[in-house]
Amino acid sequence: MENIDKIDLQILKQLQENSNINIKELASKLFLTVTPVYERIKRLERDGYIMKYVALLDKKKMNLGMTVFCNVRLKEHAKNVGSNFVKDIVALPEIIECYNIAGDYDFMLKILVEDMSSYQDFVMNKLSTIENIGNTQSVFVMGEIKHSTALAI
Amino acid sequence: MENIDKIDLQILKQLQENSNINIKELASKLFLTVTPVYERIKRLERDGYIMKYVALLDKKKMNLGMTVFCNVRLKEHAKNVGSNFVKDIVALPEIIECYNIAGDYDFMLKILVEDMSSYQDFVMNKLSTIENIGNTQSVFVMGEIKHSTALAI
DNA sequence: ATTTTTGCAGTAATTTGTTCGAAATAAAAT
DNA sequence: ATTTTATTTCGAACAAATTACTGCAAAAAT
């Protein structure tokens, strides 16, 4: 059905670093003309290798300079309890990521807020109102050493 | 100096969901013509609100279906020890994110690998060779509930 | 060996991005 | 209130990019 070769990998590598590059320039980097590059990109989109194209914004400029990882333990682990929790989590825009994890806690949330008082407000008035949350542990981010959306391919 | 209004926010909101939308369509959504939208985007890029445009790839399709968070504690906390550690971390492509955190551990790494044996290989042959690492704790991701690059604006 | 398929080059058509002067709107000053 | 100034938008013209189409050549399959 589908498979990707070295040229496809090069294209993906480029696009996940900068998706605004035009096909002509990308083609010349790969010593090709626009047609094969164009067709390969369309195929990679169709086959789901490329999921979407997005703009990455500056957190601090958008007043979301504080990152907190919040570990969450549920009270019970019944089937529908978890799915209700998930529904509530998805609805909260401050939660930018949510993982179901193995270990001491059930979920790990990545939360973006403006400052400490916004975080307090978030925990007090939003997170804590979610049913069936047992206890939570907040891990505060002091510095972001590395943050890439590009996969190592 | 610079400031953004409601229209700018709408533009940013759109672009961080889908940056491949063309200006004409974006303009009609905002009941504007292309010129103001075009100029606003260019200004938002110049002023650093928009950092970059990227393609997001499918992890599983790229054989990076396993996510692990790895908490790292350093042996010592001398000034140059940390910066050497940072240099080594940045060089490892499996590490997609690295945060300096408060709490029991010093750093939290987000690692993408193909499977458990690749992770073992990563820890044994790459992570453990980094100088001054005290101990580590691996938190395995069983499921990804939510994963957005879009800020809540 | 010949048919079929696949991938690439080149060109043309179409769409999109960019620039510019004029008009409209908003803000500041009289 | 009225004029002046600055800012923003519109619409049209131009430039550049994407998309579609045709044909050729190299692999792959029959």
Side-chain angles (χ1 to χ4, degrees), chain B residues 96-122:
Chain B
I96 232 161
E97 298 173 30
C98 174
Y99 302 94
N100 190 201
I101 56 175
D104 290 342
Y105 291 89
D106 296 313
F107 294 95
M108 184 168 84
L109 316 175
K110 182 179 175 182
I111 293 149
L112 258 48
V113 287
E114 182 173 1
D115 52 27
M116 190 57 91
S117 70
S118 330
Y119 185 65
Q120 184 188 25
D121 179 66
F122 169 78

Side-chain angles (χ1 to χ4, degrees), chain B residues 21-36:
Chain B
I21 188 173
N22 61 48
I23 298 180
K24 206 173 163 186
E25 198 181 331
L26 183 50
S28 79
K29 283 193 180 190
L30 304 173
F31 304 102
L32 284 170
T33 54
V34 294
T35 312

Side-chain angles (χ1 to χ4, degrees), chain A residues 13-116:
Chain A
K13 219 178 252 190
Q14 271 291 333
L15 291 180
Q16 69 174 349
E17 294 293 347
N18 172 26
S19 63
N20 260 17
I21 188 174
N22 62 50
I23 299 178
K24 205 173 162 187
E25 198 181 331
L26 184 49
S28 79
K29 282 192 181 193
L30 303 174
F31 304 102
L32 286 169
T33 56
V34 294
T35 309
V37 178
Y38 171 78
E39 283 169 351
R40 280 166 180 273
I41 291 174
K42 290 299 150 190
R43 178 171 51 75
L44 291 166
E45 291 170 357
R46 265 198 315 275
D47 293 349
Y49 291 94
I50 297 172
M51 296 199 304
K52 62 196 303 202
Y53 297 93
V54 301
L56 300 180
L57 310 186
D58 188 302
K59 286 198 282 280
K60 284 208 183 107
K61 288 233 171 199
M62 303 312 291
N63 290 323
L64 293 167
M66 184 171 209
T67 304
V68 186
F69 287 97
C70 185
N71 293 306
V72 175
R73 197 178 290 140
L74 296 183
K75 274 184 200 150
E76 325 168 35
H77 291 86
K79 207 189 276 181
N80 62 327
V81 168
S83 65
N84 277 334
F85 172 79
V86 166
K87 210 176 290 173
D88 293 332
I89 290 299
V90 172
L92 291 177
E94 291 92 343
I95 301 175
I96 232 161
E97 298 174 28
C98 173
Y99 303 93
N100 189 202
I101 55 175
D104 291 343
Y105 291 90
D106 296 312
F107 295 94
M108 184 169 82
L109 316 175
K110 183 179 175 183
I111 294 149
L112 256 46
V113 286
E114 184 174 359
D115 52 27
M116 190 56 90

Side-chain angles (χ1 to χ4, degrees), chain B:
Chain B
M1 177 195 169
E2 9 158 317
N3 222 340
I4 59 173
D5 62 12
K6 271 174 192 164
I7 298 175
D8 293 325
L9 270 179
Q10 297 264 72
I11 291 173
L12 292 175
K13 220 178 252 186
Q14 271 291 333
L15 292 179
Q16 70 173 347
E17 294 294 345
N18 172 24
S19 62
N20 260 18
I21 188 173
N22 61 48
I23 298 180
K24 206 173 163 186
E25 198 181 331
L26 183 50
S28 79
K29 283 193 180 190
L30 304 173
F31 304 102
L32 284 170
T33 54
V34 294
T35 312
V37 176
Y38 173 78
E39 282 170 353
R40 279 167 181 271
I41 291 173
K42 289 300 152 188
R43 178 170 51 75
L44 290 166
E45 291 170 356
R46 265 200 314 276
D47 294 349
Y49 290 93
I50 297 171
M51 295 197 305
K52 62 194 307 200
Y53 297 92
V54 301
L56 300 180
L57 310 186
D58 187 302
K59 286 197 283 281
K60 283 205 185 110
K61 287 232 171 200
M62 303 312 293
N63 291 323
L64 293 168
M66 183 172 211
T67 305
V68 186
F69 287 96
C70 185
N71 293 305
V72 176
R73 197 178 289 141
L74 296 183
K75 275 184 200 151
E76 325 166 33
H77 291 85
K79 206 189 274 178
N80 63 325
V81 168
S83 64
N84 277 334
F85 173 79
V86 166
K87 210 176 290 174
D88 293 333
I89 290 299
V90 172
L92 291 177
E94 293 92 343
I95 301 176
I96 232 161
E97 298 173 30
C98 174
Y99 302 94
N100 190 201
I101 56 175
D104 290 342
Y105 291 89
D106 296 313
F107 294 95
M108 184 168 84
L109 316 175
K110 182 179 175 182
I111 293 149
L112 258 48
V113 287
E114 182 173 1
D115 52 27
M116 190 57 91
S117 70
S118 330
Y119 185 65
Q120 184 188 25
D121 179 66
F122 169 78
V123 172
M124 293 291 204
N125 302 319
K126 295 186 172 181
L127 191 62
S128 298
T129 62
I130 294 179
E131 209 89 21
N132 206 253
I133 284 191
N135 52 35
T136 63
Q137 183 202 40
S138 297
V139 177
F140 293 97
V141 171
M142 299 191 296
E144 202 171 275
I145 310 299
K146 188 181 188 178
H147 191 177
S148 172
T149 54
L151 310 181
I153 55 174

